[in-house]
C-alpha cells in the first residue's frame, strides 16, 4: 500500500468530522464526551488546534509558554487552555471557527515543503519540538478519534470505513508489539480483527524481551478475537479491557496483560 498524501488525509478527516458536527442538535453539545469535557468542549479543542495550524489568532488566555522537548505528547495544559479560553463561545461560533480554520489551514499549508519530514513543524507544535512527520501523522489521528468520541456521546455508531480509520489502524498495527514487551521469551500472541480495518496481528517475544512478527499458523499461546471498533477504542483508551467484548483462547493471564497494554494514547 502506498502512503496517502498527509495533507490530503488531514483534509479528508477534517471534512468527515465537520459532516458529523453539522448534524448535531442543540441538546447534543452538552452531552459528556470525555472525562471533564462535553461534546462542545471537544469541539473547542479541535477548533483550538486547527486554528493554530491555520495560523489564526488565539483568544486571550489561549496560549501558554512551553518548552520544546522533541516529539513528546502534547501536554494536557496546552489543550486545556485552548478549551477554557473558548468557554464563552457558543457551539455555533466554535463550529464556525473550526470550519474557517480548516479552509485557512488548507491555504496556509498548500506550499508546505514535506520533502524532509524530520524538519521542525511550524507554529505551536514546532515550539513544542514536533517535527513535520509527527505533526502530519497526529492531526488526522486526533480528528478521527474525536469524531468517534462525538459519535459515541451522541448515540451514533463508530465508523471504521474511512481514510482516518485506516490511518489510525495502520499506526496501531505497528505498535502492537509494544503490548507484548517483557512477556516471557517465546510467548506468542495472535489477534484476529474483523471489520473494515480487519487484519491479523501476530507477535512472538524474543530473548531480548521484544516481540517480532511470526507466522500465526505456527500456533500461539494466546489468541484474541474482536472487531475493529473494539480494537481501536481499546488502543485509544476509550474503553477498558473489562468493557471490551473480546474472545480469548489460551492463557487468560497473558491475555489480560496484553489487553491492558493496548492503550497507547497518552
Amino acid at each position: 500500500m502506498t502512503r496517502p498524501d498527509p495533507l490530503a488525509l488531514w483534509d479528508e478527516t477534517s471534512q468527515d468530522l465537520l459532516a458529523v458536527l453539522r448534524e448535531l442538535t442543540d441538546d447534543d453539545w452538552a452531552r459528556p464526551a470525555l472525562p471533564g469535557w462535553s461534546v462542545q468542549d471537544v469541539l473547542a479543542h479541535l477548533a483550538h488546534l486547527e486554528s493554530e495550524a491555520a495560523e489564526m489568532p488565539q483568544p486571550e488566555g489561549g496560549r501558554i509558554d512551553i518548552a520544546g522537548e522533541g516529539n513528546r505528547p502534547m501536554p494536557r495544559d496546552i489543550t486545556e487552555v485552548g478549551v477554557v479560553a473558548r468557554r464563552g463561545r457558543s457551539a455555533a461560533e466554535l463550529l464556525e471557527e473550526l470550519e474557517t480554520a480548516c479552509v485557512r489551514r488548507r491555504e496556509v499549508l498548500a506550499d508546505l515543503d514535506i520533502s524532509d519530514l524530520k524538519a521542525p513543524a511550524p507554529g505551536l507544535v514546532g515550539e513544542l519540538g514536533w517535527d513535520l512527520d509527527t505533526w502530519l501523522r497526529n492531526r488526522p489521528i486526533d480528528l478521527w478519534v474525536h469524531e468517534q468520541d462525538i459519535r459515541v456521546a451522541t448515540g451514533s455508531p463508530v465508523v471504521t470505513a474511512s481514510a482516518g480509520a485506516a490511518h489510525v489502524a495502520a499506526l496501531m498495527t505497528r505498535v502492537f508489539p509494544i503490548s507484548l514487551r517483557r512477556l516471557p521469551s517465546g510467548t506468542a500472541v495472535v489477534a484476529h480483527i474483523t471489520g473494515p480495518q480487519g487484519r491479523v496481528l501476530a507477535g512472538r517475544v524474543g530473548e531480548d524481551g521484544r516481540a517480532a512478527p511470526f507466522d500465526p499458523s505456527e500456533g500461539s499461546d494466546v489468541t484474541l478475537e474482536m472487531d475493529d471498533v473494539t480494537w481501536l477504542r481499546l488502543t485509544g483508551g476509550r474503553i477498558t479491557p473489562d468493557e471490551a467484548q473480546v474472545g480469548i483462547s489460551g492463557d487468560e493471564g497473558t491475555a489480560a496483560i496484553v489487553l491492558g497494554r493496548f492503550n497507547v494514547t497518552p
Side-chain angles (χ1 to χ4, degrees), residues 159-174:
V159 171
T160 58
S162 66
H167 175 66
V168 175
L171 175 63
M172 295 311 170
T173 297
R174 291 196 294 273

Side-chain angles (χ1 to χ4, degrees), residues 7-242:
L7 295 176
L9 173 63
W10 188 347
D11 194 48
E12 185 170 344
T13 54
S14 68
Q15 294 308 309
D16 288 344
L17 169 68
L18 286 170
V20 172
L21 291 168
R22 291 172 184 138
E23 295 299 318
L24 298 185
T25 67
D26 290 343
D27 291 339
D28 286 332
W29 299 113
R31 300 186 193 280
L34 292 168
W37 277 8
S38 65
V39 170
Q40 183 163 324
D41 290 330
V42 174
L43 171 58
H45 162 69
L46 295 164
H48 168 215
L49 293 188
E50 289 299 296
S51 66
E52 286 278 11
E55 300 179 0
M56 291 165 57
Q58 297 300 304
E60 183 177 355
R63 292 290 301 270
I64 58 174
D65 293 332
I66 53 178
E69 297 183 15
N71 294 309
R72 63 171 179 165
M74 185 169 290
R76 177 75 181 186
D77 287 349
I78 292 177
T79 55
E80 193 64 38
V81 296
V83 173
V84 171
R86 289 168 171 78
R87 285 262 161 83
R89 297 183 181 181
S90 68
E93 291 171 324
L94 292 170
L95 182 54
E96 181 179 3
E97 181 184 12
L98 178 57
E99 290 181 317
T100 300
C102 289
V103 173
R104 291 188 183 177
R105 181 249 301 151
R106 191 181 309 131
E107 297 168 349
V108 166
L109 301 183
D111 297 321
L112 181 69
D113 182 2
I114 58 174
S115 59
D116 178 12
L117 290 175
K118 294 305 178 185
L124 171 68
V125 291
E127 296 171 27
L128 187 61
W130 285 20
D131 57 28
L132 282 172
D133 184 55
T134 301
W135 186 46
L136 295 173
R137 181 179 67 245
N138 281 16
R139 287 310 306 140
I141 293 173
D142 195 49
L143 293 167
W144 183 82
V145 168
H146 285 313
E147 178 196 332
Q148 309 320 309
D149 291 334
I150 292 167
R151 284 178 171 277
V152 171
T154 58
S156 297
V158 170
V159 171
T160 58
S162 66
H167 175 66
V168 175
L171 175 63
M172 295 311 170
T173 297
R174 291 196 294 273
V175 302
F176 171 69
I178 294 175
S179 62
L180 311 184
R181 283 184 177 177
R182 296 183 300 279
L183 288 174
S185 175
T187 301
V189 178
V190 173
H192 291 277
I193 313 297
T194 60
Q197 300 307 322
R199 63 202 64 204
V200 178
L201 309 175
R204 177 182 286 135
V205 182
E207 294 292 340
D208 61 356
R210 297 186 177 187
F214 78 104
D215 185 345
S217 68
E218 297 174 9
S220 63
D221 299 288
V222 174
T223 298
L224 307 172
E225 297 184 5
M226 69 194 85
D227 62 23
D228 54 357
V229 172
T230 299
W231 173 46
L232 295 176
R233 297 199 75 209
L234 277 170
T235 59
R238 269 39 185 187
I239 56 174
T240 67
D242 288 342

